Amino acid sequence: MFAMCVCVSVCLQLVLGHGARRLHVSAAYRAKAKVAMSRFEPTSFINYDKLHSNVKIVRKRLNRPLTLSEKIVYGHLDDPHHQEIDRGRTYLRLRPDRVAMQDATAQMAMLQFISSGLPRVAVPSTIHCDHLIEAQIGGVKDLARAKEVNQEVYNFLSSAGAKYGVGFWKPGSGIIHQIILENYAYPGVMLIGTDSHTPNGGGLGAICIGVGGADAVDVMAGIPWELKCPKVIGVRLTGTLSGWTSPKDIILKVAGILTVKGGTGAIVEYHGPGVDSISCTGMATICNMGAEIGATTSVFPYNHRMRTYLEKTGRGEIAAVADQYKDLLVPDEGCEYDQIIELNLDELKPHINGPFTPDLAHPVSEVGAVAKKNGWPLEVKVGLIGSCTNSSYEDMGRAASLAKQALDKGLKCKAQFTVTPGSEQIRATIERDGYSKILSDVGGVVLANACGPCIGQWDRRDVKKGEKNTIVTSFNRNFTARNDANPATHAFVTSPEIVTALAIAGTLDFNPETDYLTTPTGEKFKLVPPTGDELPARDFDPGQDTYQHPPSDGVSLTVDVSPQSNRLQLLEPFDKWSGNDLENMVVLIKVKGKCTTDHISAAGPWLKFRGHLDNISNNMLIGAVNSENDAVNKIKNHLTGDYGGVPDVARHYKANGMSWVVVGDDNYGEGSSREHAALEPRHLGGRAIIVKSFARIHETNLKKQGLLPLTFSNPSDYDKIRPDDKISIKGLKSFAPGKPLSAVVTHSDGSQETLELNHSFNETQIEWFQAGSALNRMKQLQH
């Protein structure tokens, strides 16, 4: 099968900057390489020979065809000869090619790396400034204000990057995932990123996985990274996208099928003849939002759409090499998936999902009726396009084609309308090609190249907090209060095309496939289905140079963190396990219903404290619903009998030497990769989180920080826990993989119950717990 591949010996090193690329390939390709050396940043090595060799070893051991996901994942095994491989059960030790960190999570990741004592990162790594820019007026002014307000944090990240060998993408460069797609993702690479939407890179045939900062530190330290061997869900696509249906509708439909936890522990692998009707950036959109179904990541097989995108972004030499290894970059014939979903794109209709959860799927043609039935506001207050999910040149072009139709008929948006370019390259190119002007003329405000409203960085002033209203976005996530801190905002996610149409119409029950708009003269007309070029006819305009390359030796450089800072705080090691069972812990809060990382550690205005553990801990669980009284941030302090905020009560318990646990529901910790949702409970005295089930990243983050993420062996035992119970965790002296622990629950009347608790710890992770954290264990191993 790989006869063509083995005759090509290639060690490919891609060296990238903003518009500067150098490739080292075999002699035949080296002669063709065009070198621009003014600015460059080394990315990972990918040795397709080694990838092929590892895959060959594993295929022989397993004696079966492999999915594409398995080829790339197993191709990065630290020890392909001896690694135990069992999908959904064993832990794999992997060697990712590179690390990427966004600025909100990079602060804690770099603080942890500094604590490790290591002099320089072991793999190519980058920091991307995209989360701390608040949308308020417009791109230029908002960016200038962000640079001023966040100067201390930006200086820290820039200087830490320079000292430890990490590339630094300055504020204004764009959203991490768009930068990765434009520069660092390519077929067969394995990349980890400290953001849950890192899977965006699967649109270029890469395995890109969202992780917490402690995982990133492991990889940057040169330690094999652990991942539970993923199951593989196959989504077979047939037919062709056309008309109003977009790539976003594929993942909106899949989210409706699998729900927010249906992809947990699995990679979603798209395949089938329908794949070729999707652009490369469209595939990235689908992979990006795969985070909302809990998937480890998502991926598409290498094809001509990826080749074209690589060529258009200055990486034609990579495409040429990938062509030689194409059999390595697609699934084996006859490979088996753990689950198969069939989607006929000829029959797929435009979708809109929400409110309050990204898996509540509705065809656009039906959402109006559902909204009326449920009392959801029909008036669309704001339409927002862009974000890391949908800010490609094609997305902007298709939205602009609709805006142009409205303008030609004398119409502008009835709703407020915002546009978020995904990168400086996209901003500059859509400005050059006229899309920005069209979108502005129809009523749009072009925001900074940043996350903005998608992650709550939005100074929204058109409605009061608590006022019921509807917004529609092309984002990926729509949890309660996520975008604007207003729990009464009904947020719906859909494609940029549908957002634009609904913003023009101003109402949620407008179906652009069948309904008419009315011009100022009374003429009725229907919007023609959107059109847009996949890629610009001319080359991309890279815009301003926003990349800082680290010096070759940063030993002499210093990184200053002021003890008086309220934004940054050096970390102190967490305490080791005492060697005994955890006795008589109070229940801090029994959480009712959905509890995402937004509920555990809110973003928005709290993002400014992401580098200061003590300050950010003041938002711990303030969005979680207390089962005792259905209130948020109101729990009983069992030492005083008074009610107070969750962080305040936790601090009081800690000050009095009292350990505590949190009890939670299903899919606890879904959403973002933010490890602050694990660091904060540990910092404030928590010892265990006991729930019905966990989301993958959060469960790992808890383990990394020395907490015990445990699940009820019988989920109905959740109902047995009372808010005033005391809980003891037994069996820790013989803590072992696969061996349940037990909880002795003492009720206020003195009666006791013993509940069985499951865990997914392996031997290495148990060592993290015993040492007090993964970072503590890393330091132990250095001595």
Side-chain angles (χ1 to χ4, degrees):
M1 184 173 188
F2 293 100
M4 180 174 70
C5 301
V6 294
C7 69
V8 182
S9 177
V10 179
C11 179
L12 175 63
Q13 180 191 7
L14 177 60
V15 184
L16 292 170
H18 207 89
R21 297 171 172 88
R22 181 176 64 182
L23 287 120
H24 298 287
V25 297
S26 65
Y29 293 110
R30 192 180 299 116
K32 299 178 182 178
K34 295 181 179 179
V35 180
M37 290 297 298
S38 59
R39 305 179 298 276
F40 63 90
E41 190 278 326
T43 79
S44 51
F45 291 83
I46 179 166
N47 187 330
Y48 280 119
D49 273 350
K50 183 174 181 181
L51 193 68
H52 165 244
S53 174
N54 285 356
V55 168
K56 188 176 179 181
I57 291 166
V58 172
R59 185 190 286 108
K60 184 176 180 181
R61 286 181 54 203
L62 299 181
N63 193 30
R64 61 172 174 79
L66 301 178
T67 67
L68 170 61
S69 312
E70 292 180 304
K71 288 182 181 181
I72 302 175
V73 172
Y74 303 162
H76 285 83
L77 285 170
D78 183 51
D79 183 3
H81 288 282
H82 303 105
Q83 171 72 61
E84 185 182 6
I85 299 170
D86 185 7
R87 294 199 313 216
R89 186 182 67 83
T90 59
Y91 281 88
L92 307 178
R93 291 168 60 82
L94 300 165
R95 293 283 184 179
D97 298 302
R98 71 174 298 118
V99 173
M101 299 169 280
Q102 42 95 333
D103 51 356
T105 50
Q107 296 170 64
M108 199 58 70
M110 291 309 296
L111 286 166
Q112 290 178 87
F113 188 82
I114 290 169
S115 297
S116 75
L118 296 170
R120 194 173 178 88
V121 296
V123 303
S125 305
T126 48
I127 293 167
H128 303 259
C129 295
D130 60 1
H131 270 59
L132 301 180
I133 302 168
E134 184 182 48
Q136 188 179 75
I137 301 167
V140 175
K141 291 183 178 179
D142 292 347
L143 178 59
R145 189 177 70 257
K147 287 180 178 178
E148 181 181 344
V149 170
N150 302 306
Q151 182 179 9
E152 180 186 11
V153 171
Y154 291 148
N155 286 346
F156 166 71
L157 293 174
S158 173
S159 60
K163 181 171 181 63
Y164 296 104
V166 179
F168 180 70
W169 288 84
K170 301 172 187 176
S173 59
I175 306 173
I176 177 172
H177 312 304
Q178 184 68 29
I179 297 295
I180 289 171
L181 198 71
E182 293 172 352
N183 295 276
Y184 302 131
Y186 53 97
V189 75
M190 174 176 274
L191 177 150
I192 66 165
T194 60
D195 189 280
S196 58
H197 295 108
T198 301
N200 191 79
L204 257 179
I207 290 292
C208 299
I209 300 176
V211 299
D215 275 348
V217 172
D218 280 356
V219 178
M220 290 191 292
I223 297 171
W225 172 60
E226 286 198 339
L227 175 72
K228 181 173 273 192
C229 188
K231 294 185 177 182
V232 188
I233 297 172
V235 179
R236 186 172 187 274
L237 304 177
T238 56
T240 304
L241 288 176
S242 62
W244 283 92
T245 307
S246 73
K248 185 69 164 283
D249 295 307
I250 295 174
I251 184 57
L252 293 171
K253 178 70 173 178
V254 169
I257 295 169
L258 286 176
T259 77
V260 290
K261 64 177 184 177
T264 303
I267 294 177
V268 179
E269 184 172 310
Y270 294 85
H271 62 283
V275 166
D276 286 340
S277 74
I278 308 169
S279 66
C280 176
T281 52
M283 294 186 236
T285 291
I286 294 165
C287 293
N288 177 297
M289 196 175 160
E292 307 321 314
I293 56 174
T296 301
T297 192
S298 301
V299 70
F300 277 83
Y302 178 63
N303 68 359
H304 71 280
R305 309 298 281 263
M306 296 183 192
R307 182 195 313 120
T308 302
Y309 184 80
L310 286 168
E311 291 168 347
K312 205 67 176 180
T313 51
R315 296 173 287 172
E317 294 90 345
I318 296 179
V321 178
D323 283 344
Q324 298 298 310
Y325 281 82
K326 184 171 183 187
D327 284 351
L328 188 61
L329 304 172
V330 297
D332 287 346
E333 188 173 343
C335 67
E336 293 187 359
Y337 297 97
D338 294 284
Q339 180 181 351
I340 286 278
I341 295 171
E342 301 262 359
L343 277 186
N344 184 343
L345 303 184
D346 291 332
E347 299 172 356
L348 184 64
K349 290 294 185 180
H351 272 62
I352 183 168
N353 289 20
F356 307 122
T357 184
D359 59 352
L360 186 56
H362 322 274
V364 170
S365 59
E366 299 175 11
V367 71
V370 177
K372 290 172 187 173
K373 179 180 177 182
N374 288 285
W376 301 336
L378 287 178
E379 180 190 2
V380 174
K381 289 284 189 180
V382 192
L384 305 97
I385 66 169
S387 86
C388 64
T389 320
N390 276 114
S391 57
S392 67
Y393 185 83
E394 180 182 39
D395 288 329
M396 296 301 174
R398 284 169 66 88
S401 75
L402 298 172
K404 180 71 163 57
Q405 292 179 54
L407 289 168
D408 288 346
K409 295 290 187 178
L411 290 179
K412 290 193 173 185
C413 291
K414 288 185 179 179
Q416 292 184 40
F417 187 47
T418 69
V419 180
T420 305
S423 68
E424 170 62 6
Q425 179 164 280
I426 291 296
R427 182 210 60 79
T429 306
I430 66 172
E431 189 171 296
R432 179 197 69 191
D433 292 353
Y435 292 166
S436 291
K437 186 177 188 308
I438 294 170
L439 293 169
S440 296
D441 287 349
V442 84
V445 175
V446 179
L447 302 175
N449 315 321
C451 301
C454 184
I455 49 90
Q457 286 284 40
W458 184 16
D459 184 17
R460 188 181 182 192
R461 300 184 178 183
D462 63 300
V463 297
K464 295 178 181 178
K465 189 168 183 178
E467 182 180 339
K468 202 172 174 183
N469 74 101
T470 285
I471 64 173
V472 291
T473 82
S474 70
F475 305 162
N476 42 39
R477 196 166 279 163
N478 60 344
F479 301 147
T480 301
R482 176 177 173 85
N483 302 125
D484 61 0
N486 181 3
T489 293
H490 292 54
F492 295 83
V493 290
T494 185
S495 67
E497 300 93 317
I498 296 297
V499 171
T500 305
L502 295 181
I504 293 168
T507 181
L508 192 63
D509 60 355
F510 177 73
N511 178 7
E513 291 190 297
T514 58
D515 295 347
Y516 289 79
L517 295 167
T518 304
T519 71
T521 62
E523 175 193 352
K524 292 190 177 295
F525 78 101
K526 271 177 64 176
L527 292 168
V528 175
T531 57
D533 292 336
E534 178 178 347
L535 295 163
R538 291 184 279 170
D539 286 341
F540 279 107
D541 181 344
Q544 299 178 35
D545 181 13
T546 54
Y547 177 73
Q548 172 186 295
H549 181 62
S552 57
D553 185 356
V555 172
S556 63
L557 301 177
T558 59
V559 181
D560 293 326
V561 177
S562 168
Q564 286 75 45
S565 174
N566 73 344
R567 299 287 302 269
L568 297 165
Q569 180 187 46
L570 292 174
L571 298 173
E572 295 292 331
F574 290 131
D575 61 320
K576 294 181 182 179
W577 173 54
S578 66
N580 299 311
D581 288 336
L582 301 174
E583 302 281 356
N584 294 315
M585 297 180 289
V586 294
V587 176
L588 177 69
I589 181 173
K590 180 181 177 183
V591 178
K592 178 181 178 180
K594 183 185 280 281
C595 190
T596 71
T597 48
D598 279 45
H599 294 85
I600 304 168
S601 177
W606 290 96
L607 285 168
K608 60 179 173 286
F609 297 124
R610 284 283 183 86
H612 196 293
L613 179 55
D614 195 56
N615 284 345
I616 192 71
S617 294
N618 288 324
N619 78 355
M620 185 191 73
L621 286 161
I622 62 175
V625 177
N626 181 7
S627 66
E628 181 185 12
N629 53 16
D630 286 340
V632 295
N633 203 28
K634 185 180 180 182
I635 62 171
K636 188 173 184 179
N637 184 326
H638 293 290
L639 291 178
T640 67
D642 299 327
Y643 281 81
V646 181
D648 300 325
V649 175
R651 287 184 187 277
H652 189 254
Y653 288 159
K654 181 180 179 182
N656 284 275
M658 181 174 286
S659 297
W660 49 263
V661 304
V662 170
V663 175
D665 213 314
D666 260 323
N667 208 30
Y668 184 89
E670 72 171 275
S672 164
S673 70
R674 66 192 70 157
E675 65 181 338
H676 301 78
L679 282 160
E680 293 172 32
R682 184 72 164 98
H683 176 63
L684 295 186
R687 292 294 177 180
I689 312 293
I690 307 170
V691 301
K692 293 180 182 178
S693 65
F694 284 103
R696 175 189 65 86
I697 300 177
H698 186 59
E699 182 180 23
T700 300
N701 286 346
L702 291 168
K703 293 177 183 177
K704 287 279 185 178
Q705 303 308 333
L707 282 153
L708 289 171
L710 306 170
T711 56
F712 294 107
S713 178
N714 182 351
S716 64
D717 284 348
Y718 167 90
D719 299 318
K720 296 178 180 178
I721 305 294
R722 304 169 192 169
D724 55 356
D725 285 343
K726 296 284 185 69
I727 296 179
S728 298
I729 306 295
K730 301 288 189 178
L732 290 175
K733 290 183 178 180
S734 57
F735 195 8
K739 182 181 178 182
L741 298 171
S742 61
V744 176
V745 181
T746 303
H747 302 304
S748 58
D749 61 6
S751 62
Q752 290 187 333
E753 294 183 72
T754 300
L755 310 178
E756 186 177 80
L757 302 176
N758 294 329
H759 66 84
S760 61
F761 280 81
N762 61 24
E763 290 179 0
T764 299
Q765 293 167 348
I766 291 172
E767 290 173 356
W768 299 345
F769 167 74
Q770 292 169 340
S773 72
L775 189 58
N776 288 358
R777 180 58 180 156
M778 182 193 299
K779 288 181 179 179
Q780 289 177 352
L781 294 173
Q782 289 174 18
H783 298 302

